[in-house]
Amino acid sequence: MSYAIIGILLAAVLVLLISGTSGKLFGLMLKGSVRIIIGVFLLFLFNVVGALAGLHIPINAATTVMVGLLGIPGLASLAAIQYFLL
């Protein structure tokens, strides 16, 4: 991931903490950030293991959000799209 994205996320967290917004919004933002980080990690692991079978899923915003939101079924659907369609 780019340092700019990480900087933007940290700035957003700082603004939320300073402005005194509700803890619910901060919790939701934290939960989403953790899911995105897990999505990147799962995509990385898939690319390492998938290299043996010749599969590669690019790690970008769309694939990361899909795997972050859907989890393993999202990763499986991306792998199926990569294998059968592309």
Side-chain angles (χ1 to χ4, degrees):
M1 290 183 82
S2 172
Y3 290 115
I5 295 173
I6 294 171
I8 291 171
L9 285 174
L10 288 176
V13 168
L14 186 64
V15 166
L16 287 174
L17 288 174
I18 290 172
S19 67
T21 58
S22 68
K24 233 179 191 181
L25 181 61
F26 183 70
L28 184 64
M29 201 167 130
L30 183 65
K31 186 176 179 181
S33 298
V34 169
R35 284 181 162 263
I36 287 175
I37 291 170
I38 291 172
V40 169
F41 182 70
L42 286 174
L43 283 170
F44 175 75
L45 285 178
F46 178 81
N47 285 335
V48 168
V49 175
L52 300 172
L55 289 173
H56 173 73
I57 299 173
I59 299 175
N60 55 32
T63 58
T64 301
V65 169
M66 184 170 178
V67 174
L69 288 176
L70 299 177
I72 300 296
L75 183 64
S77 65
L78 286 173
I81 290 170
Q82 180 70 25
Y83 183 74
F84 291 117
L85 296 180
L86 303 176

